[in-house]
C-alpha cells in the first residue's frame, strides 16, 4: 500500500487537510527526486469529491517524508525564527514626553532653537 502526504501527516498528528500540506508535499517530492533521480509514484485519492492523482510513496520510501518533515520550517521548530518582541506601546503620556524634548510650550509660538536648521536633501 502506498502512503500519501495526507496519510503521513495524519500519522504525525496533523489533520489531512492541513493548510501547509501542499508545500510540504512539494518538498517531499523534491527530496525524492534528489535522492532517486526520478519522479515519485502516484496514486488516486478522493479529494473534495473528486478522484485526483497525488504523489504516493512505498513503505520503503517513507524516509523521504521524514526528511522533508525535518527540513520543512512549519514542522521544524529550530527553523522557525523567534517571534519579534513587540515595540513599546505609545501611550499619550509617552508621546507628550517625546514631543516635549522638541517643542516647548505652545506650538503657535514656536521659536527656532540655537542649532542651525537642517538642510533639505
Amino acid at each position: 500500500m502506498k502512503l500519501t502526504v495526507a496519510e503521513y501527516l495524519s500519522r504525525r498528528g496533523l489533520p489531512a487537510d492541513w493548510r501547509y500540506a501542499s508545500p510540504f508535499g512539494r518538498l517531499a517530492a523534491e527530496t525524492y527526486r534528489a535522492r532517486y533521480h526520478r519522479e515519485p509514484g502516484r496514486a488516486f485519492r478522493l479529494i473534495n469529491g473528486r478522484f485526483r492523482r497525488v504523489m504516493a510513496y512505498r513503505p520503503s520510501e517513507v524516509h523521504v517524508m521524514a526528511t522533508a518533515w525535518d527540513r520543512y520550517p512549519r514542522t521544524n521548530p529550530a527553523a522557525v525564527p523567534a517571534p519579534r518582541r513587540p515595540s513599546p506601546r505609545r501611550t499619550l503620556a509617552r508621546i507628550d514626553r517625546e514631543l516635549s524634548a522638541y517643542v516647548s510650550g505652545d506650538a503657535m509660538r514656536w521659536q527656532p532653537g540655537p542649532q542651525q536648521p537642517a538642510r533639505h536633501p
Side-chain angles (χ1 to χ4, degrees):
M1 171 92 180
K2 290 189 173 188
L3 184 70
T4 65
V5 169
E7 293 160 354
Y8 179 78
L9 291 175
S10 63
R11 283 185 183 181
R12 297 292 297 231
L14 292 170
D17 60 346
W18 183 48
R19 67 185 278 192
Y20 299 110
S22 184
F24 174 77
R26 285 192 292 272
L27 182 64
E30 177 185 313
T31 305
Y32 184 91
R33 288 182 201 109
R35 169 107 169 121
Y36 294 106
H37 304 290
R38 64 175 190 258
E39 288 293 314
R42 298 207 173 227
F44 284 100
R45 294 293 187 262
L46 184 65
I47 300 172
N48 295 332
R50 292 182 62 193
F51 281 99
R52 300 177 190 268
R53 288 187 68 162
V54 295
M55 302 291 183
Y57 303 90
R58 292 186 294 230
S60 62
E61 300 167 342
V62 173
H63 65 87
V64 169
M65 286 194 276
T67 303
W69 180 270
D70 293 336
R71 288 181 52 205
Y72 192 60
R74 298 284 180 192
T75 58
N76 185 354
V80 177
R84 293 185 336 186
R85 273 186 55 194
S87 62
R89 295 196 57 163
R90 293 186 55 117
T91 61
L92 190 55
R94 183 171 178 179
I95 292 171
D96 284 342
R97 277 195 312 270
E98 290 173 2
L99 288 178
S100 66
Y102 300 107
V103 179
S104 59
D106 189 6
M108 295 299 290
R109 297 180 192 176
W110 176 80
Q111 296 291 323
Q115 69 271 17
Q116 189 160 4
R119 292 180 50 199
H120 216 299

